[in-house]
Every structure is written in C-alpha cells, then in structure tokens.
Amino acid sequence: MNKKAIALMAACVFLLSACQTKDPDIKETESVGEETETTSQLSGDYYSAIITDGTYKTSLNRGITLGLNSNVNLKAFETGLMDLSQSHFSPDSYYFQEGQYIDAETTSKWLARATEKNPEGLNPEDNGKLEPNERNPIYLDSLLEQNYMVKDGDGFTLGGISIGLAMNTVDYYTQKEFGAEYETKISREELLAEGKKMADKIVQRLRETEGVGDIPIVVGIFEQSTKDNLAGGVYISETISQDGATTVQDWKSINQKKVIFPTSGEESTELSSFENFKSEIENFFPNLSGVTAEALYTDDQIVNMKVAINTQFYGESEIIAFTQNVAEKASSYLLPNIPIEITIKSVNGTEAFLSRKSGETEFYTHVFD
Amino acid sequence: MNKKAIALMAACVFLLSACQTKDPDIKETESVGEETETTSQLSGDYYSAIITDGTYKTSLNRGITLGLNSNVNLKAFETGLMDLSQSHFSPDSYYFQEGQYIDAETTSKWLARATEKNPEGLNPEDNGKLEPNERNPIYLDSLLEQNYMVKDGDGFTLGGISIGLAMNTVDYYTQKEFGAEYETKISREELLAEGKKMADKIVQRLRETEGVGDIPIVVGIFEQSTKDNLAGGVYISETISQDGATTVQDWKSINQKKVIFPTSGEESTELSSFENFKSEIENFFPNLSGVTAEALYTDDQIVNMKVAINTQFYGESEIIAFTQNVAEKASSYLLPNIPIEITIKSVNGTEAFLSRKSGETEFYTHVFD
C-alpha cells in the first residue's frame, strides 16, 4: 500500500484519452457538450484524474487542507487518502476527482463546535473552561473528500467516495484574542474514539446527500503531526461503509509511523546506515548545514526514506560534484531495496534531486540549472 | 556540444573508484597518504570529479562567480566552460578539479582596474570620467579556472586548464557611494576585442605559474547577460593554447543564444508550439501565474528548452493532477526531439519536476511531497 503511494508520488507519466460525455447537470453522470478527458495511466499504481473541458475540477471545499498544522501534513493527508483508497477503488478501473459532495459551507459547519445555532458541528461544544486539561478541545481539524469515478458509456459516474478526517494530537488555542498560545494534548485513544463517532455521523449525512446513494464510502482517520514536527502525520485507522449502510463498523487499524533521522530515531540498522551516510557527505564540504531524513515505517518495517540536505554552495561545479558524491554515498551506505528520495537545497531553492525506486540499484539524478 | 552540456546537467549517476596516490606536496601529481577517489562515470558525457580524502577540493578563488549579475549567469558560466572543455579534454580520460593555480588574491588583482599599484589589473585604468559613454568600463567581471586531470600511476596529474572570462555587456556603476546606478553599455565587438587581449595576458601569466608548464589551456569568452535577463549568458568565442604557447590565436566564434519565451521570442515553430502548450495548461487552473521558457539556440537551431511554471496550489491533489496534465500537454505540444526540463513552483518552492532527454518520447516526472 505504501509502496503504491510512493510510486504514485514518485513518477507519474500519463497519456491522453479524450471522451465525449452526456449530461452536464446530473452529478452522477457527467455531461453533455463538455469534453471530458482523463490523464490515463501508464502504470496501475497511479490514478488518472478527470479533466472536463480542459479544466481540472477542484473540490467544493477547495483550500480546506491549507488549515492543517504544516505543509507536510497537507501532503500526507491528501496522498495518504489516495493511498488508502487504492485497495478499495483500483486505479485500473477508477478515476480520481476532487470531492464534489461536501461544499465549503457544509465543511465549515461540520468543523465548527456544536452549538444551538450549529447542531451539525462535529467538534464538542465549548464548556466555558480555559485550562488545557479542562476545556473541550477541537478534535477534528480538517476534512477531505475524494471521489472515485468509473466509466459509464461516454461519461463517468461516481463509483466511490473517500473521506479523510484530520484529527489533532495537540489542539492549539488562545485564551483571549491575540493572546499566548496554549495546547490541549489529545491521546490517540481519545482521538480515535472521537474520530469514529464523527465518521458515523458523516456517513449518515452523506447517505442523505443527493447523488451519493449506496456508493461505497471509505473513511480514514489521520493523526495530524504537531506544528514543530518535520514529518507529516499518518493514517491510523480505516474502514469502508458498503451497501448503503449509514454507520461504519469494522475499523482496521494501520500501524504506521514517521521518524525523523537522526533526531528521533531509535537505534536501528537504518539509523546507523543513515548516520554513516551523513558523516561521509559532511566530510565532502565543511559547510553542510543540515542532513535529515524522514523514514516511514509500516508494521515496524521501514518502507521508504526521504532525505533533505541543506547546504550553501559557492558555485555550480560544487553542486554537480556534491550531487555525484551524494549519489555514490547513498548507494553505498543507505539501505538497499527501499525507495529513497533525496533533495539538495540551498538558499536559492532546490539545487538537485536524486531518486531511487523500489528494486533499482542506481539513483536517478538531476541538477537544476 | 550543447547536448553534452545538457546531458551533463540532466542526470549524473556515478560509481565509486578509489585510488591510492603518491605525493601530497607536488601539485602536478597528487599525493602520498591521501586517499583520492573519483566519481567515475557511467556515461561518456559526464566528468568525474576528483575527491581527496573524502573531501572535494574547491577552487583557490572559491566564491568568485557569486559576483556575477545573477544566479543563472553563475550556472551558465561554470557549466558552459565544462561544456567547451569536453571537445578538448574528453570526459573518458580527463577528471574534473576546480582551479588550483589562480588564487583569490591574484584573481582580485586581475579583476581590478590597472593602476600604478596594481599593474596586473586587466580592466582599464580609471580615466576620471563619470558619464556612461565617456568612462572606461569594467569589461571583465569574473574569471573562472577549471583543471582537467589525467591518471598518472596511482595519482592524477594536470592534463589541461580551462579559463572562462565573464565579460560585461553592461557595466553597472555608481557615480558616488550609495548613489544611483548607472550603466555603461559595451558592444559585443568591443567586449570580444578586450576579452581576447586579456586572454593573451592570462595565458602568458599562467605559463609562468609553477606547475602549469606547457599544458594545453582552453579559454572561453562568456558574454554575461544583464541583471534583468531571466536567461543566463553564453560563451561566444573560444580558443586553445597548445605546446606551451604564450599567446592565443585562432579564436573560434560560437553562435549561441538564449531566448525567453514568450516575451523575447520571434515568430517561429518553437514559439508557437510553446504558446499552444502555455494556453492549454493555463486552461487547467484559473490561477496560473506564470509560464515561461528559456530556449537555447546553437547555429540558429533550438537545442533545448527549460520551462518554468509558477502557480499557486490549494492542495496536493491539484499538484499531482496538474503535473500529469503538464506531462501530457508537453508531449503533445512542445517540440519533439529536443531535451526539455520543466519545473513547477509555488510559494513553497519546487513542487514538481519533469524532464525528457534527447531521443525520449515520455517525460520523467516527479512530484515532491
């Protein structure tokens, strides 16, 4: 599953296929007069996106994920849900479309606290307390909807919906406007229990939404990482509501974590291999300012690694030679057999990029010039 | 030659080869006790760099190219000289090392104006005039030295030197400290004549430098682009001094130019293909803020293209779908058979990157996450 996600992000080359479609006004089947293209896939690992009249259809609550704690959370929240969706909606027969059923106004209401005026609020009502351990925290920080479409004659029809719930492990709040920031910590247990209750309500509401009917609905609970964490969060539990069921059961927990090397890694083969790599390349230039990695673990096995190197360069020859050196040392020292992505940055932005996919022994290398 | 340069920058994957060496103090042959590695090549298009004791040896005038008008000039100045050098010092038998013969102090003297105290200054003496058309401009803005090494037993010995002269087309100056900036324009004719005179002096001085002897010296004259130009400069003339000659003759002019699409391109197949591509992808998102390309021409033929797309994204799904779309449209609309590099940036930096090498029909695509 994770390998697929990596492949999804690692390289996407697509061919064009244009289709004529039937009816513009009915959501379930797109649409007379419009021209619907898809970005059709070269490999079974990628979803093709639906493009209508040359234009990408953004979600009805576009931009909602920008409210997450960090950019890495945003990316993990979205790609993680595509990843989960793959085992239910195969990229071979399903096409991707951003969510078209939960609009921005509805999302705002759902993400807000429950009040008399907003009974739809999924977060708990304000109990009037201000202390971190006494107040009711905001559990649900963001909500993501993805649609998985299937071909239907010349058009596309809805084949599945995936919902991501981004839950807080820390709820950041202020006690007065522009005041200092306080934190309410939320345990994983509490976060899961709350997320599951919310999932029930969301599925029930979606079943009542026009066009959804008894379409399968996948729900994933995403544990958002904190603001100061270099790694994004992970999905920790998932389920699917089938046959028009209005509740969700049979949650399946997902054993995933992201570890930042060298700071938060425990002793392990992969940590020591990373440390050897780091010390080798730090020798190359005296002024290497940072070498870190984010390792993703599934069921306690490392499944991929993203290395970020920050440094200062005094010329292009240095960048080229350094990139060559990194490619060599990465091949020699980093774990074989897992996909690895390495980004080399300076104050001028991304200077070079290296990537090795699963099963490859050499790094693809590109120096930006 | 340009194809080689592109290949050089486009992808460099290297293997390790370690060598024992002999004598640390003699410049010409590296060096007892040190361990010299090279980044050995997988393809004849790339130079391997020499690495001594795991450390990259930077040039004696390190950082001097930072003084150029722009980062694109810096990159073009350095990689352009490697490119020129390839036809004289084949990457199959020569190894790259940054310049070890012209030190920082010497460089400063040479780049300064000639004065009584600094007779070595290559730029003309100050004639006391302040008007743009009356004063003596600074012709030579920067000087680059590269060493090309050959194997010699267990070590390496100097096999060739390449010198790049970065000439101003505009000399930016102030009439008083912290005053307004004025410009003296320099014609290509004048710039070439001055560059060639300087090349004679530099070769003569190098011949007197310990360790250089009668090593072949390549000199390239680089026409620096102006500060407001999105494209870097190009080398416009080159020569080689062989058999210990103390002057250079037989200059060979290089017919190269860089054109920014769509702003400065004249009507052409490549410009209209770019404009079609641009309008297709602009349709994809309403908020695409900039699509430009830098096209390199040699002998009036387009040899490569670098496309820069700046846009704002509201989520990761958009980035993925947009990248897929760009790959499709680039395949359909941009010129076939030339190498193309496409970078997609947002305020968060480089979001995605696409690359197609010469002879390939599909784009390699990577979305950063």
Side-chain angles (χ1 to χ4, degrees):
Chain A
M1 200 153 57
N2 294 302
K3 283 190 187 163
K4 282 187 184 171
I6 295 145
L8 175 76
M9 301 307 299
C12 323
V13 184
F14 289 78
L15 293 174
L16 180 85
S17 84
C19 317
Q20 293 298 327
T21 51
K22 310 188 264 192
D23 187 343
D25 287 318
I26 300 168
K27 263 272 153 47
E28 284 199 75
T29 311
E30 325 244 334
S31 59
V32 167
E34 292 178 7
E35 224 178 274
T36 311
E37 301 166 18
T38 63
T39 52
S40 60
Q41 4 151 232
L42 288 182
S43 146
D45 289 334
Y46 323 131
Y47 281 109
S48 308
I50 292 177
I51 294 162
T52 307
D53 277 340
T55 306
Y56 179 69
K57 201 187 259 181
T58 58
S59 72
L60 293 186
N61 64 14
R62 189 179 191 202
I64 197 73
T65 57
L66 294 173
L68 291 168
N69 284 344
S70 60
N71 203 39
V72 282
N73 272 305
L74 180 155
K75 296 191 176 213
F77 185 43
E78 294 196 29
T79 58
L81 190 62
M82 286 183 192
D83 184 12
L84 283 187
S85 303
Q86 296 210 9
S87 48
H88 305 286
F89 313 124
S90 163
D92 293 338
S93 43
Y94 288 83
Y95 298 80
F96 179 82
Q97 183 173 270
E98 291 198 12
Q100 302 299 319
Y101 295 91
I102 307 176
D103 64 24
E105 198 190 333
T106 306
T107 308
S108 301
K109 285 185 187 165
W110 292 7
L111 292 181
R113 288 187 182 278
T115 60
E116 250 178 63
K117 280 182 72 175
N118 182 39
E120 292 180 58
L122 293 170
N123 277 305
E125 57 182 11
D126 191 340
N127 63 3
K129 303 277 172 66
L130 290 174
E131 289 308 303
N133 299 323
E134 294 175 3
R135 64 190 278 275
N136 285 336
I138 300 290
Y139 293 108
L140 178 65
D141 193 39
S142 193
L143 182 150
L144 177 65
E145 178 201 345
Q146 294 176 343
N147 297 159
Y148 291 93
M149 312 295 283
V150 287
K151 279 209 169 176
D152 180 19
D154 290 337
F156 290 91
T157 184
L158 183 67
I161 293 180
S162 292
I163 299 291
L165 302 180
M167 310 299 293
N168 283 325
T169 53
V170 169
D171 174 30
Y172 302 94
Y173 72 104
T174 53
Q175 296 188 344
K176 56 184 179 195
E177 219 182 350
F178 309 119
E181 192 174 76
Y182 291 81
E183 302 183 355
T184 297
K185 292 193 169 50
I186 302 166
S187 71
R188 177 174 285 194
E189 218 175 4
E190 198 180 352
L191 167 169
L192 269 175
E194 295 295 330
K196 288 176 182 178
K197 277 193 279 177
M198 292 173 186
D200 262 346
K201 289 183 190 162
I202 291 170
V203 167
Q204 196 177 345
R205 291 174 192 177
L206 273 174
R207 293 287 173 219
E208 291 158 10
T209 304
E210 202 188 321
V212 174
D214 56 3
I215 287 298
I217 301 172
V218 168
V219 185
I221 294 180
F222 180 80
E223 187 184 58
Q224 180 172 210
S225 68
T226 54
K227 286 184 180 177
D228 55 359
N229 196 330
L230 291 176
V234 288
Y235 279 86
I236 56 173
S237 193
E238 65 151 323
T239 188
I240 183 166
S241 157
Q242 273 168 317
D243 306 320
T246 54
T247 57
V248 283
Q249 279 142 0
D250 304 320
W251 286 89
K252 197 177 107 194
S253 64
I254 305 167
N255 179 10
Q256 267 200 345
K257 63 176 177 182
K258 286 178 180 164
V259 174
I260 297 291
F261 290 165
T263 47
S264 64
E266 290 163 31
E267 258 182 68
S268 65
T269 321
E270 51 270 22
L271 176 61
S272 60
S273 86
F274 173 78
E275 282 175 336
N276 289 336
F277 165 75
K278 184 172 186 284
S279 99
E280 282 287 326
I281 63 165
E282 279 174 344
N283 191 21
F284 191 80
F285 277 139
N287 50 338
L288 218 55
S289 57
V291 184
T292 56
E294 177 191 299
L296 175 67
Y297 289 82
T298 301
D299 296 331
D300 300 318
Q301 290 293 311
I302 187 167
V303 291
N304 74 43
M305 194 186 248
K306 284 178 215 156
V307 180
I309 302 176
N310 277 287
T311 186
Q312 192 184 352
F313 292 107
Y314 291 89
E316 186 67 7
S317 313
E318 294 184 6
I319 297 176
I320 296 170
F322 182 66
T323 304
Q324 294 172 3
N325 190 254
V326 168
E328 280 174 24
K329 302 304 181 193
S331 293
S332 308
Y333 291 94
L334 295 181
L335 285 193
N337 304 325
I338 57 163
I340 295 179
E341 183 184 315
I342 305 175
T343 311
I344 302 175
K345 286 189 184 182
S346 76
V347 288
N348 295 317
T350 303
E351 298 281 6
F353 147 73
L354 303 90
S355 163
R356 188 188 68 190
K357 290 179 200 151
S358 202
E360 292 178 351
T361 54
E362 283 161 20
F363 278 83
Y364 174 92
T365 309
H366 185 89
V367 178
F368 291 92
D369 85 323
Chain B
M1 200 156 55
N2 293 301
K3 282 188 188 166
K4 283 187 185 171
I6 295 144
L8 174 78
M9 302 306 299
C12 326
V13 183
F14 290 77
L15 291 175
L16 179 84
S17 83
C19 317
Q20 292 300 326
T21 51
K22 311 185 263 195
D23 187 344
D25 288 318
I26 300 168
K27 264 273 154 46
E28 283 199 78
T29 312
E30 325 242 338
S31 54
V32 166
E34 292 178 6
E35 226 179 271
T36 311
E37 302 166 17
T38 63
T39 51
S40 61
Q41 7 151 233
L42 287 182
S43 148
D45 290 334
Y46 323 132
Y47 281 109
S48 307
I50 292 177
I51 294 162
T52 308
D53 276 341
T55 305
Y56 178 70
K57 202 185 256 180
T58 58
S59 73
L60 293 187
N61 65 13
R62 187 180 193 203
I64 197 72
T65 56
L66 294 173
L68 291 167
N69 284 345
S70 60
N71 202 40
V72 283
N73 272 304
L74 180 156
K75 296 191 176 215
F77 186 41
E78 295 196 27
T79 58
L81 190 61
M82 287 183 191
D83 184 14
L84 282 188
S85 302
Q86 295 210 8
S87 49
H88 305 287
F89 313 124
S90 163
D92 292 338
S93 44
Y94 288 83
Y95 297 81
F96 179 84
Q97 184 174 265
E98 291 197 13
Q100 301 298 320
Y101 295 91
I102 307 175
D103 64 23
E105 197 190 332
T106 306
T107 308
S108 300
K109 284 184 188 165
W110 293 6
L111 292 181
R113 288 187 182 277
T115 60
E116 251 179 61
K117 280 181 74 176
N118 182 38
E120 292 181 56
L122 292 170
N123 277 304
E125 57 181 13
D126 190 341
N127 63 3
K129 304 278 174 64
L130 290 173
E131 289 308 304
N133 299 323
E134 294 174 3
R135 62 191 279 275
N136 284 337
I138 300 289
Y139 294 109
L140 178 64
D141 192 40
S142 194
L143 182 150
L144 178 66
E145 177 202 347
Q146 294 176 343
N147 297 160
Y148 291 93
M149 313 294 286
V150 286
K151 279 209 168 173
D152 180 19
D154 290 337
F156 290 90
T157 185
L158 184 67
I161 293 180
S162 293
I163 299 291
L165 302 179
M167 311 299 293
N168 283 325
T169 52
V170 169
D171 175 29
Y172 301 93
Y173 72 103
T174 54
Q175 297 189 344
K176 56 183 179 194
E177 219 181 349
F178 310 118
E181 193 174 75
Y182 290 81
E183 303 182 356
T184 298
K185 293 196 169 48
I186 301 167
S187 72
R188 177 173 285 195
E189 219 174 3
E190 198 180 355
L191 166 170
L192 269 175
E194 294 294 330
K196 288 175 182 178
K197 278 194 277 177
M198 293 174 187
D200 262 347
K201 290 183 189 164
I202 291 169
V203 167
Q204 197 176 342
R205 291 175 191 176
L206 273 175
R207 293 284 173 222
E208 292 158 9
T209 304
E210 201 188 322
V212 173
D214 56 4
I215 288 298
I217 301 173
V218 167
V219 185
I221 293 179
F222 179 80
E223 188 184 59
Q224 180 172 212
S225 68
T226 53
K227 286 184 181 178
D228 55 357
N229 196 330
L230 291 177
V234 288
Y235 279 87
I236 56 172
S237 193
E238 65 150 325
T239 188
I240 183 165
S241 158
Q242 273 168 318
D243 307 320
T246 54
T247 56
V248 282
Q249 280 144 358
D250 303 322
W251 286 89
K252 196 177 109 196
S253 65
I254 305 168
N255 178 10
Q256 266 198 349
K257 64 176 177 180
K258 286 178 181 164
V259 175
I260 298 291
F261 290 164
T263 46
S264 64
E266 291 164 28
E267 257 182 68
S268 66
T269 321
E270 51 272 22
L271 176 60
S272 61
S273 88
F274 173 78
E275 283 176 334
N276 289 336
F277 165 75
K278 184 171 186 284
S279 98
E280 282 286 325
I281 63 165
E282 279 175 343
N283 191 22
F284 192 78
F285 278 138
N287 51 337
L288 218 55
S289 55
V291 184
T292 56
E294 178 191 298
L296 175 68
Y297 288 82
T298 300
D299 297 330
D300 300 318
Q301 289 293 311
I302 187 168
V303 290
N304 74 43
M305 194 188 249
K306 283 177 216 156
V307 180
I309 302 175
N310 276 288
T311 185
Q312 192 185 352
F313 291 107
Y314 291 89
E316 186 68 7
S317 313
E318 294 184 6
I319 297 176
I320 295 170
F322 182 65
T323 305
Q324 294 172 2
N325 189 253
V326 168
E328 281 175 20
K329 302 304 181 193
S331 295
S332 309
Y333 290 94
L334 295 182
L335 286 193
N337 305 323
I338 58 163
I340 296 178
E341 184 184 314
I342 305 174
T343 312
I344 302 175
K345 286 188 183 181
S346 75
V347 288
N348 295 317
T350 303
E351 297 282 4
F353 146 74
L354 303 89
S355 163
R356 188 188 68 189
K357 290 179 201 151
S358 202
E360 292 178 351
T361 53
E362 281 162 21
F363 278 83
Y364 174 92
T365 309
H366 185 88
V367 178
F368 291 92
D369 86 321

